[in-house]
Amino acid sequence: MINNCSVFGVRHLSPGAAWHLLRFLEEKNPRCVLVEGPSDATGFMYDIAATNVKPPVALLAYTTGLPVETVMYPFASYSPEYRAICWSVQNRREVRFMDLPSDRMLKLRRERGRDEETQQAQAFYRYHNELYEKLAGHSEEDDYESYWERNFEHNLTAGSYNTVLSYQSEQIREMVAGRELEAAPYDYSCNLIREAYMRREIERAVREGYRPEEIVVVAGAYHVSGIRSGLPAMSDGELKKLDSAQSQVTLMPYSYLRLSSRTGYGAGNRAPYYFEMMWDAMNDGRIGDLPAVYLAKVAQYLRDKGYNASPASTIEAVRLAAALTSLRGGAIPVLKDLHDAAVTCFGGGELSVVAEALNSADTGTATGSLPEGVSRTPVQENMEQELKRLKLTDYKSAVAQELTLDLRENFKVKSREAAFIDLNRSTFLHRLQTLGIHFAGKQHVSQESASWAEKWVLRWTPEVEIEIVEANLKGETIEIAAAYRLKEQLNDCTDVSAAAKIVRLACECRLTDIFENALNTLQRLLVDSAGFTETANAADELSVLIRFGDLRQVNLEPLKPVLRQLFLRASLLLTGASSCDDRAADGISRAVNTLEMISQRQYEFVDVEIWRKELGTLARRDDLNTKLSGTAFSVLLEHNLVSDEDCAKEISRRLSPGVPAVLGAGWFEGLSSRNRYALLSRISLWRELDKYVSQLDDEEFYRSVVFLRRAFGSFEPDRKNSIAELLGEIWGTGEEFTAETLRSELSEQEMEKLDELNDFEF
């Protein structure tokens, strides 16, 4: 019964397969068409075939419980499955998907990783791929993709495609069957299960009244022999025994970038945009013009980027590609021939010159689209509504675009919505970030930048669509899902730094209830907070929010007493935290800088006096990390809290010959890590440093130079010149001569000495 059906084997995303399949359908004129794809997604076929749907699009099946498992079925304009669906709908024929329903497929996929992780399985997949490469080698092709394109995509001889591809796939399958069963049992059993279900769907169509001769089956060529194997179809009992996972299916836009096999889609092709050009050329009856069309696009891209790619060079590239393909006995150049011709004629033999242009012509930037209301989850619908409301629809592009926001009220417009559109955009984009939806990335700006300005980079990808679907598990709108996500984080929160971060996120997302809950959690955790760095980071989160004021229309007054408590607690934890090694000192030093900045910006309600008192204690102590003591002393110098006399005494004490070089130089490294002007204005400091270095023996000198070199390496060029001038005055060699000498090229001997420092053993 099944063997009397017409089975057309295809390669997914093959324009040649689509071209031959359409002619096959016209010839057979079936009443029923069965297409490889999840059978529970058959209801989406009319949406897929709608005239206002722009491929590429994809069916996404996903589990409705955590962890989320997904399986994707993408369609380009030249996908044979897409063309079979469109033909059937346009000709009013019965059309269905016939593969395992998504709930069973997703359950099976959860077992796949265990199979693929074994070395035995990896060896099998290498063997499988090597068979295809050997096939290409026998045809004197460099790789299988070139072999495929020359023998299948370019071959428009009627009836050739299905016959040859089905035979080739059957032979390959027979060669790997034994090894697959042993090394990759998941794939082996999964294929058998799927094909048994496909046979079940064919038999169902026959039972419903379609004669086998009236049925056309469209499936991956690898499955053709399995469908025709004569094995029994899956029974009701066998179907019930298959485990399932709760799942849903949705239709979503896709992109050529994602379709490209370069980004990891296993059934993709190397060059989706190139194959679209091929599809168009086939349907125009001008397949021979494809090389000229492709190379003209490469040339145009290069010219747009300022490179010389003249029409004459394009003509030469087309001729060279034709010559290259004739050496292989081909009539039309394959993609590799076109690449080689472009590198030679446009790049002067250098791939780097044309690589970007080739990628553009191979992959393209096309992103599909669906009309409003077509097969969407609630969060997808809400996403579209928000994009329209906030006038962000134009940013749904695979090309990254910058968006600068001004969060202040715009008094030049009439409506409240327009007056706060940038603030509402910011809130929306922060909610997406919280949900892990990577549509927008916030760009880092310096802390001195205006608090009301934000810069984002927006880019729409198929991954964004998947992330939106996954967000549906947390709520029916972006706002509800973001609140749920923050609540999850809050429930897992165990330290003040994480709680303060959630407070900030809740404010940026303008989620008032979560904001209040997070603040209460922060206050509760503050009671037992014992980590200096974590407490300082928590204070920084609140400080940034308070700096914004009421810009985000959230009441921030309750933050001020909490910030005061955090700042005080961090101040009191400073000394104890400074008994540490140099590795830990780096993080503590950053936290010191953070608290010092808070003391300057929010001085009216944090206890600056206690903070500076604790800095003074750290600066004087000899039993704590000397780098941190130096940092604390530097802060005191900035505020003129140390007299010149006391400064000279401390420097002399810290840089005395009896102090180990590691400690003395480490202290100076901390001292020089902050306000360089305060150091450069005190010549006594440099006299003491000069005296200290000159008294060291060779080994101690080496030790100190390693630290001092690191300290001075971060100085700006003009500051280094100032140091040279100071040393010239101290040494009596003159400012200009000393500066010129220190800026001169190092000799070979001096370079060797520096190399010795790099290898110096402490």
Side-chain angles (χ1 to χ4, degrees), residues 736-760:
E736 293 184 4
F737 174 78
T738 305
E740 185 178 343
T741 301
L742 293 178
R743 287 198 301 267
S744 62
E745 292 289 330
L746 296 177
S747 66
E748 185 175 336
Q749 184 179 9
E750 288 168 332
M751 289 297 296
E752 290 176 359
K753 289 295 183 182
L754 281 178
D755 290 338
E756 290 178 16
L757 282 178
N758 293 332
D759 299 330
F760 184 71

Side-chain angles (χ1 to χ4, degrees), residues 164-368:
V164 177
L165 179 57
S166 296
Y167 176 76
Q168 175 182 300
S169 298
E170 181 180 359
Q171 295 301 306
I172 292 288
R173 182 162 177 166
E174 287 182 3
M175 295 173 70
V176 303
R179 292 198 182 191
E180 185 179 26
L181 174 60
E182 179 182 350
Y186 166 83
D187 279 345
Y188 180 80
S189 61
C190 187
N191 283 332
L192 294 182
I193 291 169
R194 291 174 61 195
E195 289 160 2
Y197 188 86
M198 292 180 195
R199 294 192 295 271
R200 171 191 175 90
E201 289 297 290
I202 296 171
E203 289 189 357
R204 180 167 77 91
V206 173
R207 287 197 305 272
E208 290 175 354
Y210 296 103
R211 291 186 292 112
E213 297 80 8
E214 297 174 327
I215 299 172
V216 165
V217 175
V218 180
Y222 195 81
H223 297 297
V224 171
S225 59
I227 292 171
R228 293 190 175 282
S229 63
L231 294 172
M234 181 179 291
S235 67
D236 292 343
E238 290 170 331
L239 180 59
K240 288 180 180 178
K241 287 181 181 179
L242 287 179
D243 289 337
S244 63
Q246 284 193 326
S247 67
Q248 290 187 12
V249 183
T250 187
L251 186 62
M252 55 180 272
Y254 215 56
S255 78
Y256 276 172
L257 179 65
R258 183 63 177 163
L259 271 179
S260 170
S261 54
R262 292 171 181 167
T263 60
Y265 172 58
N269 54 43
R270 293 182 300 171
Y273 184 37
Y274 168 70
F275 281 106
E276 180 191 307
M277 295 181 220
M278 183 184 294
W279 169 250
D280 291 340
M282 286 176 178
N283 287 289
D284 291 341
R286 302 171 67 90
I287 187 68
D289 291 345
L290 177 62
V293 172
Y294 176 86
L295 289 169
K297 289 188 181 295
V298 173
Q300 183 62 55
Y301 186 95
L302 290 170
R303 286 195 295 272
D304 291 344
K305 294 294 183 179
Y307 291 95
N308 181 22
S310 65
S313 299
T314 307
I315 293 171
E316 286 303 312
V318 172
R319 288 173 175 168
L320 177 57
L324 291 172
T325 202
S326 67
L327 295 175
R328 307 277 189 180
I332 303 171
V334 297
L335 187 60
K336 187 178 186 308
D337 298 330
L338 299 175
H339 282 185
D340 290 343
V343 169
T344 301
C345 297
F346 297 139
E350 295 292 333
L351 174 61
S352 59
V353 176
V354 297
E356 193 174 318
L358 293 178
N359 183 63
S360 175
D362 287 358
T363 305
T365 58
T367 299

Side-chain angles (χ1 to χ4, degrees), residues 543-602:
S543 173
V544 170
L545 284 180
I546 292 171
R547 186 178 171 218
F548 284 147
D550 60 356
L551 194 64
R552 293 191 181 274
Q553 301 177 358
V554 176
N555 179 19
L556 300 180
E557 283 301 313
L559 295 184
K560 293 180 180 179
V562 181
L563 174 58
R564 187 180 301 116
Q565 290 176 290
L566 286 166
F567 187 86
L568 176 60
R569 189 165 190 85
S571 299
L572 297 176
L573 290 170
L574 173 61
T575 304
S578 298
S579 179
C580 63
D581 59 18
D582 284 342
R583 182 176 299 177
D586 289 337
I588 295 172
S589 179
R590 288 192 293 271
V592 167
N593 293 334
T594 295
L595 287 176
E596 173 58 21
M597 188 174 297
I598 294 172
S599 76
Q600 295 179 39
R601 287 180 173 167
Q602 274 90 31

Side-chain angles (χ1 to χ4, degrees), residues 273-534:
Y273 184 37
Y274 168 70
F275 281 106
E276 180 191 307
M277 295 181 220
M278 183 184 294
W279 169 250
D280 291 340
M282 286 176 178
N283 287 289
D284 291 341
R286 302 171 67 90
I287 187 68
D289 291 345
L290 177 62
V293 172
Y294 176 86
L295 289 169
K297 289 188 181 295
V298 173
Q300 183 62 55
Y301 186 95
L302 290 170
R303 286 195 295 272
D304 291 344
K305 294 294 183 179
Y307 291 95
N308 181 22
S310 65
S313 299
T314 307
I315 293 171
E316 286 303 312
V318 172
R319 288 173 175 168
L320 177 57
L324 291 172
T325 202
S326 67
L327 295 175
R328 307 277 189 180
I332 303 171
V334 297
L335 187 60
K336 187 178 186 308
D337 298 330
L338 299 175
H339 282 185
D340 290 343
V343 169
T344 301
C345 297
F346 297 139
E350 295 292 333
L351 174 61
S352 59
V353 176
V354 297
E356 193 174 318
L358 293 178
N359 183 63
S360 175
D362 287 358
T363 305
T365 58
T367 299
S369 64
L370 296 170
E372 188 174 351
V374 171
S375 175
R376 295 188 183 277
T377 62
V379 171
Q380 283 176 299
E381 291 287 358
N382 180 244
M383 183 78 175
E384 288 300 314
Q385 293 166 2
E386 289 295 280
L387 290 173
K388 284 186 177 181
R389 180 177 73 88
L390 300 171
K391 295 180 172 56
L392 294 174
T393 307
D394 290 344
Y395 290 88
K396 283 187 66 174
S397 168
V399 179
Q401 301 177 71
E402 285 191 357
L403 175 66
T404 301
L405 303 178
D406 183 338
L407 307 189
R408 300 172 296 182
E409 181 178 1
N410 183 356
F411 294 101
K412 298 179 181 180
V413 295
K414 294 181 179 180
S415 70
R416 179 176 177 80
E417 181 72 17
F420 290 102
I421 188 169
D422 275 3
L423 174 60
N424 293 332
R425 284 172 166 177
S426 173
T427 300
F428 173 67
L429 296 178
H430 278 292
R431 288 173 180 175
L432 295 183
Q433 275 200 329
T434 298
L435 284 168
I437 297 174
H438 295 89
F439 172 48
K442 188 179 178 184
Q443 302 302 290
H444 175 75
V445 293
S446 69
Q447 296 200 354
E448 301 305 319
S449 299
S451 59
W452 43 262
E454 286 184 352
K455 181 177 285 187
W456 297 78
V457 173
L458 281 62
R459 181 169 173 264
W460 194 267
T461 65
E463 287 78 7
V464 170
E465 292 278 357
I466 297 171
E467 290 160 356
I468 294 169
V469 170
E470 291 177 351
N472 196 68
L473 300 174
K474 303 183 187 301
E476 294 188 351
T477 67
I478 297 295
E479 179 180 4
I480 294 172
Y484 183 86
R485 177 63 186 134
L486 287 181
K487 187 175 182 295
E488 284 183 323
Q489 294 178 9
L490 197 59
N491 291 339
D492 296 334
C493 191
T494 57
D495 69 71
V496 290
S497 178
K501 183 178 180 181
I502 296 172
V503 170
R504 175 177 59 78
L505 290 173
C507 179
E508 291 170 339
C509 295
R510 291 162 73 191
L511 300 170
T512 306
D513 290 342
I514 296 296
F515 179 83
E516 294 173 354
N517 291 338
L519 191 57
N520 292 334
T521 301
L522 173 59
Q523 289 176 301
R524 175 175 54 81
L525 294 171
L526 176 56
V527 175
D528 299 318
S529 176
F532 169 73
T533 302
E534 292 79 8

Side-chain angles (χ1 to χ4, degrees), residues 659-722:
V659 175
V662 171
L663 299 181
W667 180 84
F668 183 82
E669 184 181 355
L671 178 70
S672 63
S673 64
R674 288 186 56 84
N675 190 337
R676 275 72 187 270
Y677 178 79
L679 303 182
L680 294 170
S681 63
R682 289 173 168 82
I683 192 169
S684 59
L685 184 153
W686 300 96
R687 291 188 189 279
E688 291 296 332
L689 180 62
D690 177 57
K691 187 197 309 183
Y692 167 72
V693 172
S694 64
Q695 292 174 344
L696 296 174
D697 61 28
D698 287 349
E699 183 175 348
E700 288 293 285
F701 175 77
Y702 272 132
R703 290 178 181 275
S704 67
V705 168
V706 171
F707 286 89
L708 294 173
R709 181 187 178 198
R710 190 167 63 197
F712 288 128
S714 63
F715 274 58
E716 300 82 0
D718 60 329
R719 296 287 187 262
K720 292 179 181 179
N721 288 336
S722 298

